[in-house]
Amino acid sequence: MKGQGGTARSDQLPTAFEPANVESKWYRFWMENGYFRAGRVPDGKPFTIVIPPPNVTGALHMGHALDFTLQDILIRFRRMQGRDALWLPGTDHAGIATQNRVEAMLLKETGQSRHDIGRDAFVEKVWEWKRQYGSIITNQIQALGFSCDWSRERFTMDEGLSRAVREVFVRLYERGLIYRGKYIINWCPRCRTALSDIEVEHEELDGALHYVRYPFTDGSGAVVVATTRPETMFGDVAVAVHPDDERYRAWIGKRVRLPLTDREIPVVGDSYVDPSFGTGCLKITPAHDPNDFEVGRRHGLPAPVVMNEDGTMNEGAGDFQGMDRFEARKAVVEALRREGYLERVEPHRHAVGHCQRCHTVVEPFLSEQWFVKMKPLAEPAIEAVKAGRVRFVPERFEKLYLHWVENVRDWCISRQLWWGHRIPAWYCEGCGETIVAAEDPEHCPRCGSRQLRQEEDVLDTWFSSALWPFSTMGWPEETEDLRRYFPTDVLVTGFDIIYFWVARMIFMSLAFTGEVPFHTVYIHGLVRDSQGRKMSKSLGNGIDPLDVVNKYGADALRFMLASGTAPGNDQRFYWEKVESARHFANKIWNAARFVLLNVDKEVGGDLKGAVLGRPEHWILHRLNETVRDVTEALENFDFGGAAKMVYDFVWGEFCDWYIEFSKAALYGGNPLAARGTRQVLVHVLDRALRLLHPFMPFLTEEIWQKLPGHGEALVAAEWPVPEDQYFDAPGAAVVEEWMELIRRVRNVRSEMNVPPGKPVPVLVRPADQEALRDFEGGEVYLRRLAGIDPLDFDLHAVPPSKSVTEVLGRAELFIPLEGVVDLEGEIRRLEKELEQLGKEVDRVRAKLDNPSFVAKAPPAVVEEQRRKEVDYATRRERVQARLESLQRMI
């Protein structure tokens, strides 16, 4: 195959870009040659990211694809800048989420529960699950081109990280920051485990306030309390009123009878009570409400538990024992009504906590658990952010972080699960001693007994995740990786785990290394569906990233996600956006084919000695501006801005303009000019591919390997830097005037329906002699790219009759239409088009003025109609203006 001005070669690109033909080839090439491994640039300054480890609960979703794409852009960018870049991959055991999945699988496949097969056998089942899904996740990450250092892959329950977890637990315990005690915690009756506050999602639900009479034991009347949870009344130990409430102050110290029981309980005064809620009298149930628990502690009251771990009522509920809590609620209300204790029931909408994993209503529950004292750990974490040692991008998330950390409560770290890091505590059966140790003890240090029982509970999954930035580097050993790559540089994550994970990593890192875990936290938003809804299984609107890759290629998905990103903001997934990114890939491919077909093998991108015309100076000026601006954008985490700049330069300036400009020199018969243009084509394409590589690694590597004079791999090539000698703003402005003239003539041709092959005459009246010289210098390009003939320049030109006038910055254009366009026929055509556009505007506005349509139609449909309204109205205005212009000529 020969191109004009080129020679036949075996290394030409195929006519079409097929992602499936290049993606696995190049990933394998990068892996086999160790390009992703840290340490390749021993003299380079380290740049480190640890991957937010995905849970081994299944496949990756679109949120992972966004999260990892942004990290890969940063890693590839910094690697090309000569940094010793480490992107450390891994996965999280995910505790309760994974156990739930495996339990469901076990029940479906065998009809057995975990209790049927026992702890050891069940844990082995989970390890089998991990091995299966861990490999699926790895394959997905690789399919998307993510350049992780797989030689350093970690798992939160591998041997090294397990050692770190035990070490941290023991040290915190020895410092008095871990304790065991009874406390009111969030309990999931379905998962049968404690939950931390941030594992509980609150949802507004319609409920009821039940007004219940508690009779005074002296027969002097009754206290009326309002409660949403009458089934817990069997755990009541007092009725509380505000000590300053004039209505009830005299009741403090009296006793009331607990309805449906033979128990007596006191009336106490406590400032926690809100006099304006309900009746201003509050039943106190310390074992089943966190605020009541605190009131009970202040007054030295007992805390009887009246519910079982599975959400059924226990023996403390009397006749209601064995009932489900919600069944018991109905039965208790009916009994209160029957016995005359129920005064009234009112509707009441309130927030109800749900388990984040299974969505079961959470139960406040008094239980013996392990806790971490957070206040001592929080103080350094607050100071680190306020002092700027850790910064959030965007900055507004710093306030969110500080608000939570400054009001942090002790962290319940024990979970009643089998899958996870088992708490390293043992209880001596001989003397009751509690032993906490990093290594399994053989005997009790107090009495010497060997009858030791290990704690059954495991640690909250976020406990091990909190150590991720330094445990993955080999801590507690002082490893070479820990010395070189820690602290890490950037954490890329979503706003939803600032409390779960980000804050806790800062706590733990400062406590055990004295360093912050990362210097910058970049927060991105969610990837929502086209209607703006969160992607979820329940809605069935989730999109598998690999489905997108299989259809459009990894580069298209990556570029779409990056270009739609703004710090902290959500983006919507549209298939049309992926198609647009694929069109961009095809545009780059076709441009590269043109360049390769028109350059000789020996013509590389070195511009030394190149003869450069004005278009060459212009494209080099714009290239260097783009290099400067894209570099600055990536350094400031403006991924969307960087992607747009590269897109605009490659598509809008290199492909649409410079390649067209270049044909005049390539085929114009001047060998020196042609050679200089070839050098510039290769140089600009080379630099553009480097800029694009972090976003679209497969496509760019495939093309770059075909360029004359390419190096060993684009993944290891140098990031471009601005070259001062090619900045030429005045010269670039002249070429941009040519471009504007060409656009204006093309617009007139289009709007006047001039056939593509038919030339139009143009008369240019420059503003002065300098402008005349500048426009005359572009004559060959103006004629060629705008279809102009003849083209005349005259400082004193008089507008011809029946011509269209266009005003530029330093010139006026006159385009005579007589003989070029059938003016009367064109007027008739425009009148019909104007009428049709008017109908379209009226039709769309009628829809948008219909309240029923706006209220019931999906938001995306309404938004599409609004876009159509603007488009039709704009086109109508343009046609109207052109019609009036033609009518004046007749």
Side-chain angles (χ1 to χ4, degrees):
M1 179 166 52
K2 276 192 176 182
Q4 292 172 287
T7 58
R9 293 208 314 275
S10 61
D11 61 347
Q12 291 292 345
L13 294 171
T15 53
F17 173 52
E18 298 294 342
N21 295 340
V22 305
E23 290 177 352
S24 60
K25 173 184 73 174
W26 286 119
Y27 202 90
R28 189 166 56 251
F29 168 78
W30 294 327
M31 288 284 288
E32 288 172 354
N33 289 278
Y35 289 116
F36 301 160
R37 293 192 66 164
R40 283 177 55 86
V41 191
D43 296 332
K45 183 181 177 183
F47 179 83
T48 312
I49 297 176
V50 290
I51 206 167
N55 296 344
V56 287
T57 50
L60 300 184
H61 53 66
M62 198 57 70
H64 290 117
L66 169 64
D67 197 82
F68 297 168
T69 292
L70 301 183
Q71 292 172 69
D72 197 38
I73 289 170
L74 288 175
I75 281 290
R76 288 180 182 269
F77 166 58
R78 294 301 191 183
R79 188 184 287 128
M80 293 176 75
Q81 284 189 317
R83 301 286 291 271
D84 179 13
L86 167 61
W87 187 15
L88 193 148
T91 48
D92 192 352
H93 68 279
I96 189 172
T98 305
Q99 177 161 313
N100 282 348
R101 294 291 293 273
V102 178
E103 281 191 89
M105 178 193 71
L106 183 66
L107 185 63
K108 181 179 179 181
E109 293 182 357
T110 69
Q112 295 177 300
S113 72
R114 63 184 166 108
H115 300 284
D116 292 328
I117 66 172
R119 183 170 191 144
D120 291 344
F122 179 76
V123 169
E124 181 51 39
K125 287 281 185 188
V126 188
W127 275 109
E128 289 174 11
W129 171 283
K130 183 269 172 187
R131 285 188 283 270
Q132 177 185 351
Y133 281 96
S135 62
I136 289 174
I137 289 169
T138 298
N139 292 336
Q140 288 181 305
I141 289 174
Q142 294 181 355
L144 284 157
F146 300 139
S147 58
C148 305
D149 183 347
W150 294 104
S151 69
R152 289 173 165 86
E153 184 179 8
R154 305 306 297 267
F155 175 55
T156 50
M157 280 181 63
D158 67 25
E159 185 178 345
L161 272 68
S162 294
R163 183 185 171 200
V165 166
R166 281 198 170 193
E167 188 71 26
V168 166
F169 187 96
V170 171
R171 292 192 194 182
L172 288 174
Y173 182 81
E174 290 173 347
R175 289 167 57 184
L177 295 180
I178 282 183
Y179 64 94
R180 187 169 184 252
K182 282 189 174 293
Y183 205 80
I184 198 84
I185 47 92
N186 304 296
W187 181 266
C188 176
R190 157 64 184 78
C191 299
R192 303 278 188 94
T193 186
L195 303 173
S196 66
D197 290 345
I198 52 179
E199 290 174 299
V200 177
E201 296 178 339
H202 289 86
E203 182 181 341
E204 289 283 328
L205 296 178
D206 289 324
L209 267 180
H210 306 84
Y211 288 79
V212 182
R213 298 175 65 253
Y214 285 54
F216 286 116
T217 56
D218 62 5
S220 61
V223 175
V224 178
V225 302
T227 178
T228 59
R229 306 179 67 223
E231 73 279 7
T232 64
M233 62 180 292
F234 303 103
D236 290 359
V237 294
V239 171
V241 298
H242 197 284
D244 297 330
D245 191 333
E246 294 290 345
R247 295 172 295 174
Y248 309 127
R249 184 186 296 172
W251 292 356
I252 297 172
K254 296 186 72 170
R255 297 183 73 80
V256 296
R257 184 171 301 283
L258 183 61
L260 307 182
T261 76
D262 57 3
R263 285 172 49 209
E264 296 179 8
I265 58 176
V267 177
V268 299
D270 196 281
S271 58
Y272 165 72
V273 179
D274 179 1
S276 65
F277 179 78
T279 63
C281 302
L282 183 71
K283 75 186 198 69
I284 302 302
T285 321
H288 296 280
D289 182 279
N291 297 307
D292 291 4
F293 179 77
E294 296 298 338
V295 173
R297 286 213 302 190
R298 283 195 289 273
H299 294 272
L301 298 170
V305 176
V306 296
M307 200 175 292
N308 298 312
E309 291 181 354
D310 63 357
T312 59
M313 307 307 293
N314 68 15
E315 65 278 3
D319 295 341
F320 305 94
Q321 180 180 358
M323 286 187 180
D324 173 78
R325 54 189 167 149
F326 299 118
E327 179 189 1
R329 179 177 301 174
K330 295 176 185 176
V332 168
V333 169
E334 182 55 38
L336 290 170
R337 181 180 286 111
R338 187 173 59 249
E339 298 293 330
Y341 293 111
L342 187 66
E343 191 168 273
R344 66 184 187 277
V345 179
E346 293 178 351
H348 179 62
R349 189 167 178 81
H350 61 138
V352 178
H354 291 75
C355 174
Q356 186 189 54
R357 298 297 179 188
C358 69
H359 210 62
T360 299
V361 172
V362 167
E363 191 66 39
F365 201 69
L366 185 65
S367 175
E368 193 159 47
Q369 303 286 342
W370 291 86
F371 295 86
V372 176
K373 292 180 182 177
M374 298 301 284
K375 288 291 185 186
L377 297 173
E379 291 168 5
I382 293 169
E383 187 278 331
V385 170
K386 287 185 174 179
R389 294 166 63 197
V390 177
R391 73 181 184 106
F392 283 81
V393 178
E395 192 176 326
R396 68 178 185 270
F397 287 102
E398 180 182 313
K399 293 180 182 177
L400 199 67
Y401 165 88
L402 288 173
H403 176 75
W404 184 76
V405 175
E406 288 170 349
N407 295 280
V408 71
R409 291 167 52 175
D410 285 0
W411 175 15
C412 176
I413 56 171
S414 47
R415 297 290 182 269
Q416 289 65 52
L417 305 171
W418 287 354
W419 173 245
H421 292 280
R422 199 163 172 180
I423 291 175
W426 289 259
Y427 306 109
C428 177
E429 301 285 4
C431 68
E433 178 77 356
T434 298
I435 305 130
V436 171
E439 303 293 337
D440 292 10
E442 295 182 359
H443 56 81
C444 174
R446 181 178 176 187
C447 72
S449 172
R450 292 183 177 272
Q451 299 300 309
L452 305 180
R453 174 178 55 85
Q454 187 175 358
E455 170 67 69
E456 293 287 325
D457 291 353
V458 301
L459 288 164
D460 177 9
T461 186
W462 295 103
F463 190 94
S464 51
S465 299
L467 318 182
W468 185 252
F470 57 94
S471 63
T472 52
M473 306 281 186
W475 188 93
E477 299 298 324
E478 185 66 26
T479 65
E480 180 58 37
D481 274 5
L482 191 65
R483 285 191 292 269
R484 181 159 180 77
Y485 299 111
F486 183 84
T488 69
D489 289 85
V490 183
L491 175 73
V492 177
T493 191
F495 63 84
D496 52 334
I497 55 174
I498 289 176
Y499 312 139
F500 282 105
W501 193 43
V502 178
R504 288 169 175 170
M505 283 190 287
I506 297 174
F507 290 173
M508 293 298 199
S509 183
L510 288 168
F512 291 98
T513 72
E515 300 276 3
V516 294
F518 27 71
H519 300 300
T520 302
V521 181
Y522 175 86
I523 302 292
H524 59 74
L526 301 176
V527 182
R528 297 183 177 274
D529 72 5
S530 59
Q531 297 180 39
R533 300 174 302 174
K534 187 175 180 179
M535 291 186 181
S536 69
K537 288 182 181 177
S538 59
L539 290 175
N541 62 345
I543 296 170
D544 186 337
L546 288 194
D547 289 344
V548 183
V549 170
N550 292 334
K551 189 172 183 180
Y552 293 103
D555 289 320
L557 174 60
R558 291 169 59 115
F559 193 81
M560 182 278 292
L561 290 170
S563 59
T565 297
N569 293 342
D570 295 346
Q571 63 173 289
R572 295 188 181 188
F573 181 95
Y574 294 100
W575 283 103
E576 296 85 352
K577 287 184 178 180
V578 190
E579 289 175 10
S580 175
R582 175 62 197 269
H583 292 326
F584 182 43
N586 290 335
K587 186 81 169 180
I588 299 162
W589 186 263
N590 290 331
R593 289 190 76 247
F594 172 84
V595 173
L596 291 169
L597 284 166
N598 285 280
V599 300
D600 300 320
K601 259 189 174 180
E602 64 273 11
V603 176
D606 185 355
L607 298 180
K608 188 175 182 181
V611 174
L612 307 178
R614 270 191 160 167
E616 284 66 48
H617 282 289
W618 167 74
I619 195 65
L620 291 172
H621 171 79
R622 283 296 303 125
L623 169 66
N624 278 275
E625 284 189 320
T626 304
V627 167
R628 178 196 65 202
D629 296 344
V630 169
T631 303
E632 182 179 346
L634 289 179
E635 287 174 343
N636 288 292
F637 307 100
D638 182 6
F639 299 98
K644 184 179 186 305
M645 292 173 202
V646 179
Y647 179 93
D648 290 347
F649 173 76
V650 172
W651 187 310
E653 295 176 309
F654 181 61
C655 297
D656 282 356
W657 283 105
Y658 181 67
I659 283 180
E660 295 305 312
F661 282 140
S662 74
K663 293 173 183 177
L666 290 174
Y667 316 141
N670 182 333
L672 285 178
R675 181 176 177 82
T677 297
R678 291 189 184 104
Q679 288 172 274
V680 170
L681 281 168
V682 175
H683 178 86
V684 176
L685 179 57
D686 170 273
R687 298 319 190 261
L689 292 174
R690 294 174 195 240
L691 293 176
L692 276 164
H693 181 73
F695 301 92
M696 308 176 87
F698 295 115
L699 168 77
T700 53
E701 187 75 75
E702 176 74 9
I703 296 172
W704 196 77
Q705 292 282 345
K706 306 284 189 186
L707 289 184
H710 67 76
E712 59 176 287
L714 179 54
V715 69
E718 291 183 5
W719 184 257
V721 294
E723 299 174 276
D724 291 344
Q725 68 269 33
Y726 295 121
F727 281 107
D728 180 12
V734 171
V735 176
E736 283 161 8
E737 283 184 312
W738 300 352
M739 292 159 62
E740 182 58 24
L741 186 151
I742 292 165
R743 273 192 288 265
R744 297 291 185 91
V745 175
R746 286 176 174 174
N747 286 343
V748 171
R749 292 180 65 99
S750 173
E751 291 171 2
M752 295 304 180
N753 221 20
V754 177
K758 187 172 185 177
V760 296
V762 173
L763 175 60
V764 180
R765 183 165 69 191
D768 51 38
Q769 196 67 39
E770 182 184 9
L772 175 63
R773 286 194 303 272
D774 288 340
F775 279 104
E776 285 181 333
E779 182 173 356
V780 65
Y781 307 106
L782 302 179
R783 285 177 178 274
R784 182 185 186 96
L785 299 184
I788 299 173
D789 190 36
L791 173 61
D792 296 311
F793 303 93
D794 186 345
L795 286 169
H796 309 291
V798 176
S801 63
K802 297 182 180 180
S803 65
V804 173
T805 301
E806 295 284 336
V807 179
L808 304 181
R810 295 195 299 161
E812 291 176 277
L813 314 182
F814 308 113
I815 306 172
L817 295 179
E818 192 168 24
V820 176
V821 175
D822 176 0
L823 295 178
E824 292 182 352
E826 187 60 21
I827 287 172
R828 289 193 297 273
R829 185 186 72 80
L830 290 173
E831 286 174 339
K832 287 181 181 178
E833 186 177 352
L834 189 65
E835 181 183 3
Q836 185 59 38
L837 286 169
K839 289 178 180 177
E840 292 295 344
V841 170
D842 292 343
R843 181 181 63 79
V844 173
R845 285 181 177 167
K847 272 190 177 183
L848 293 172
D849 289 341
N850 181 348
S852 178
F853 169 77
V854 174
K856 294 179 181 178
V861 173
V862 176
E863 186 60 31
E864 177 63 22
Q865 292 300 311
R866 289 198 173 109
R867 282 198 295 269
K868 284 184 177 180
E869 178 191 19
V870 172
D871 178 54
Y872 288 140
T874 303
R875 286 164 57 191
R876 184 175 64 175
E877 290 174 8
R878 201 161 55 236
V879 170
Q880 178 71 44
R882 191 60 70 195
L883 178 61
E884 291 172 357
S885 174
L886 287 181
Q887 288 169 335
R888 287 194 293 269
M889 294 182 191
I890 298 298

